[in-house]
Amino acid sequence: MNYRYGFVQSNISKRAVEQTRRRVEMSKVKEIFEYFETEIKSNRLKPRQRLMSIRAASQYFDVSKNTIVEAYDRLMASGYLKSKPGSGFFVNPSLKKSSPAKDQLHVTKAIDTASLLKEQLNPTLAVRIGDGRPPASWMSQFDFDMKINAPIDSKYGYNPPMGFYPLREILSQHLYERGIQASPNQIVTTYGANHAMDLIIKHFLVPGDVVLVDSPGYYPLFSKLKLYKIKIVGVDRLVDGPDINQLEEKAKHYAPKLFFTQSLGHNPTGGSATLGVQYQILKLADKYDFFCVDDDAFADLFPGNLPRMAALDQLDRVIYIGTYSKTLSANLRVGYIAGKEKLIKSLSHIKMLTLVSSSDYLERWLHEVLANGQYLRHLRRLGPLVDTAIEETLSLFEKMHLHVTYRPERSYYLWVELGEDEDDLELARLAAEQDIFLAPGTLFYPEKKISNPSAIRVNLAYAKEPKFIQFMIDRTK
């Protein structure tokens, strides 16, 4: 028995060593790929130019030949290289080179919200001040093997329409810790928050319907609503949350079906609605018969006992959206909706008809990460990083005389208002010429008004970039 145990332990140790070795090797493959990708894109390696041989490259980079082979294979798969048997590897002469000037023009003209989204999905600018995603430098510490122990059927079959049940059980427990009572049958999983909004729009709205949104607010939602021909009416966002007087006035006038908002960690301002404001919103929702869609993207960074509208009314007038894109990975497209059981059943049917199902594999992986405590340990590291970045950035911006309108809380965002004579779109254009990506405030407003202050949304993780700081100092000279 002892011998057998020792044999198993030995196998486990060997597997662990092999997994570590493989991770290191793949990291080197990535580095080499990115090195040649940069050289080719910058035209330092010309079309038809021959690369060093596999043997020479392995000596130059001090890696194995297999590592070079894999890096070259990736470069060929990406269209950067061509292979000539017996001759070696050459820069692909037919490689289409994008025009940076053209790409920058498309982004910085910022004629619609799709322009900003495109720059986030297809980055062309190096300094990412306007990015909305979790910064890679903060997330790289959270590095887990994506392999899971799952029945063979689940790897090749479909996920149930409502999502992986054990994951929904854990989500139910997490909601309970936030004061929200929702059984697993009151939760449907989604491909992130945007998919959740899409399902809600499909369930509630038809062309010509009116919805209320935060102003400034979550810009991808505005494009989505326009796509469905929904009328969008903005409600000004104040320091303590949505303007209650304006909300009532517009609810009374437009009879909206939904109010899309973010109580905590608001995007783009970083601010949060107070308990009093949340309570007033619910009273108006009941009085004027509309539902509140509350996107709680940064939920896991906030204390569980913090006031939330969904906890105040127990999902009566509130439809609650959660996601792991902000706190785990933008690539992990797993989110969820919590609401009344009848509504969730209807949303799961829409999900089934439009997408068939969400990813069973990803949901099982997320379940393991949540259940074994790894995600909790990650949050314990991430929270202080955000807090430190907030304090350091606020102090820096104060010295630079940049006006931060809202006090951010456990969010990646700051809303910086510019001078009265400054044009945020023009500022973004000028920044792009210096390889800096800014998110102009104009795009975060559902309605273009002269009264909208000129502003930019700043991602805290990049706020101390020297190039950005110097650009902001020089802009008024």
Side-chain angles (χ1 to χ4, degrees):
M1 190 70 174
N2 289 336
Y3 288 115
R4 180 176 177 79
Y5 176 74
F7 175 74
V8 172
Q9 286 289 91
S10 176
N11 278 353
I12 291 173
S13 298
K14 287 179 180 178
R15 282 201 301 272
V17 169
E18 177 59 25
Q19 287 173 354
T20 301
R21 185 198 65 78
R22 183 60 178 162
R23 278 198 293 269
V24 171
E25 183 178 295
M26 294 310 295
S27 175
K28 290 180 179 178
V29 168
K30 184 173 182 288
E31 286 180 15
I32 295 167
F33 173 91
E34 290 176 348
Y35 169 80
F36 282 112
E37 180 184 44
T38 301
E39 292 296 294
I40 293 169
K41 280 186 172 181
S42 64
N43 211 32
R44 286 190 287 270
L45 282 174
K46 311 289 185 184
R48 296 187 175 85
Q49 185 171 339
R50 185 176 183 273
L51 268 66
M52 61 184 82
S53 68
I54 290 173
R55 180 195 295 268
S58 68
Q59 292 174 349
Y60 180 81
F61 290 104
D62 193 24
V63 296
S64 70
K65 292 179 183 178
N66 287 339
T67 299
I68 298 298
V69 168
E70 189 154 354
Y72 279 14
D73 281 346
R74 289 191 182 188
L75 288 162
M76 285 195 294
S78 300
Y80 291 114
L81 299 185
K82 285 286 186 182
S83 171
K84 293 182 181 180
S87 298
F89 297 87
F90 298 80
V91 177
N92 188 352
S94 60
L95 182 66
K96 291 183 179 179
K97 295 191 183 301
S98 62
S99 167
K102 186 176 180 181
D103 287 342
Q104 289 175 8
L105 183 64
H106 174 72
V107 173
T108 56
K109 276 188 175 178
I111 56 174
D112 56 30
T113 55
S115 303
L116 183 57
L117 184 59
K118 180 184 176 183
E119 171 59 21
Q120 297 200 75
L121 298 177
N122 301 290
T124 61
L125 305 177
V127 183
R128 312 294 303 166
I129 307 301
D131 216 320
R133 297 171 297 180
S137 60
W138 288 3
M139 297 299 157
S140 58
Q141 61 183 301
F142 188 70
D143 185 19
F144 296 111
D145 192 339
M146 287 297 289
K147 293 179 182 178
I148 59 170
N149 297 315
I152 190 69
D153 289 347
S154 72
K155 295 182 180 179
Y156 302 98
Y158 289 115
N159 204 13
M162 289 184 68
F164 185 49
Y165 188 81
L167 174 60
R168 288 188 287 124
E169 284 186 310
I170 286 187
L171 295 177
S172 174
Q173 177 60 34
H174 287 186
L175 290 176
Y176 180 78
E177 291 166 3
R178 297 171 201 164
I180 305 167
Q181 295 187 28
S183 72
N185 290 332
Q186 289 180 264
I187 299 170
V188 59
T189 59
T190 65
Y191 279 114
N194 271 285
H195 178 220
M197 292 175 188
D198 204 53
L199 293 178
I200 292 167
I201 290 169
K202 284 183 169 73
H203 174 85
F204 281 97
L205 305 174
V206 296
D209 280 345
V210 177
V211 300
L212 303 179
V213 299
D214 288 330
S215 180
Y218 184 57
Y219 75 90
L221 170 66
F222 304 157
S223 291
K224 195 182 299 291
L225 291 167
K226 288 174 183 175
L227 185 66
Y228 288 110
K229 299 180 180 179
I230 308 301
K231 181 174 174 58
I232 310 169
V233 177
V235 176
D236 288 348
R237 187 83 181 196
L238 305 179
V239 175
D240 60 351
D243 185 328
I244 292 300
N245 293 330
Q246 196 178 112
L247 177 62
E248 178 162 24
E249 177 188 325
K250 294 186 175 182
K252 184 177 181 180
H253 180 75
Y254 291 103
K257 289 186 177 179
L258 300 172
F259 173 36
F260 286 91
T261 189
Q262 288 182 287
S263 297
L264 307 178
H266 177 248
N267 185 357
T269 68
S272 295
T274 63
L275 175 61
V277 168
Q278 291 182 43
Y279 176 67
Q280 291 298 323
I281 292 171
L282 293 174
K283 286 180 64 177
L284 294 177
D286 190 56
K287 181 177 180 180
Y288 295 102
D289 193 25
F290 62 84
F291 287 89
C292 299
V293 182
D294 196 0
D295 177 13
D296 203 359
F298 291 96
D300 292 328
L301 288 179
F302 285 95
N305 59 359
L306 209 65
R308 288 175 167 87
M309 286 199 298
L312 291 174
D313 89 327
Q314 293 303 314
L315 302 175
D316 182 28
R317 285 280 174 183
V318 176
I319 304 164
Y320 184 85
I321 295 176
T323 179
Y324 291 88
S325 295
K326 300 296 185 187
T327 53
L328 190 49
S329 170
N331 266 330
L332 184 72
R333 306 310 300 165
V334 180
Y336 60 93
I337 305 170
K340 292 181 178 179
E341 192 167 333
K342 184 178 179 181
L343 169 63
I344 295 303
K345 186 176 181 180
S346 175
L347 293 176
S348 70
H349 289 163
I350 297 172
K351 173 185 169 184
M352 178 177 64
L353 292 172
T354 54
L355 283 177
V356 181
S357 68
S358 47
S359 171
D360 182 74
Y361 189 92
L362 283 177
E363 291 180 14
R364 284 175 182 269
W365 181 83
L366 178 60
H367 169 260
E368 284 194 15
V369 170
L370 296 178
N372 65 22
Q374 293 179 88
Y375 181 58
L376 179 60
R377 291 193 292 274
H378 165 66
L379 291 176
R380 287 172 179 162
R381 294 192 295 263
L382 180 59
L385 274 177
V386 177
D387 291 339
T388 300
I390 288 173
E391 295 304 322
E392 290 179 352
T393 305
L394 287 175
S395 176
L396 173 64
F397 282 10
E398 185 179 358
K399 293 174 184 175
M400 295 171 63
H401 305 291
L402 293 176
H403 178 54
V404 177
T405 315
Y406 307 81
R407 168 75 191 193
E409 296 180 49
R410 285 288 170 106
S411 166
Y412 301 147
Y413 311 124
L414 284 178
W415 187 250
V416 178
E417 288 194 7
L418 306 172
E420 290 183 5
D421 298 329
E422 290 188 87
D423 182 338
D424 52 25
L425 296 177
E426 175 64 11
L427 189 70
R429 186 190 68 77
L430 294 172
E433 291 178 356
Q434 298 191 33
D435 213 16
I436 301 169
F437 169 42
L438 295 186
T442 297
L443 298 188
F444 294 91
Y445 286 99
E447 301 145 313
K448 290 181 172 60
K449 297 179 181 177
I450 298 176
S451 59
N452 291 339
S454 186
I456 57 172
R457 185 192 70 180
V458 174
N459 189 318
L460 286 158
Y462 308 101
K464 294 191 292 182
E465 287 276 357
K467 197 170 184 178
F468 166 67
I469 293 171
Q470 192 60 50
F471 172 79
M472 293 301 288
I473 291 173
D474 294 342
R475 80 189 197 284
T476 55
K477 290 181 179 178

